[in-house]
Amino acid sequence: QVRLTESGGGSVQAGGSLRLSCAASGYASTSNCMGWFRQAPGKEREGVAVIFTGRGSATYYADSVKGRFTISRDPAKYTAYLQMNALKPEDTGMYYCTWRDLSECDADWSTDHYDYWGQGTQVTVSA
């Protein structure tokens, strides 16, 4: 059973920056897909960014965040990070860390394809 614990988030004005962290524990494999989805009030959960935790650390981003968000990881701490710059009001929502029990990673934004989820952390961007 993989446990994901998020931290970071908060409130910021448009144009500002925030960094989210997600610490993973309880996993058996070190090559998986780990990343972030978000959900705004009244909307479906959507993919933001994912990273392969194996060799190469390939990353994938939703078009809406490319060039503004950066996902990275610290293997020693089993933690993934989401650096969010140039934030916009439309980035507001609950951000969820996720983990896919599969030794590959791609721009697959279907929530059904991910096996574990964190509790979520709120990000609010004001105009």
Side-chain angles (χ1 to χ4, degrees), residues 1 3 21-22 25 28-31 38 45 48 54 56 68 78 82 84 88 106 113 119:
Q1 182 79 11
R3 180 174 179 178
S21 300
C22 175
S25 62
S29 171
T30 56
S31 295
R38 67 186 180 188
R45 194 170 297 189
V48 175
R68 300 188 298 122
Y78 308 110
L82 184 68
M84 305 184 293
K88 305 175 181 180
D106 53 27
H113 295 170
Q119 294 293 320

Side-chain angles (χ1 to χ4, degrees), residues 5-25:
T5 304
E6 300 120 331
S7 60
S11 297
V12 66
Q13 290 188 329
S17 299
L18 287 171
R19 189 175 85 152
L20 307 181
S21 300
C22 175
S25 62

Side-chain angles (χ1 to χ4, degrees), residues 42-67:
K43 294 188 177 181
E44 292 186 354
R45 194 170 297 189
E46 63 176 10
V48 175
V50 291
I51 185 168
F52 181 55
T53 62
R55 182 177 294 181
S57 300
T59 58
Y60 304 87
Y61 297 92
D63 289 341
S64 59
V65 305
K66 282 180 181 177

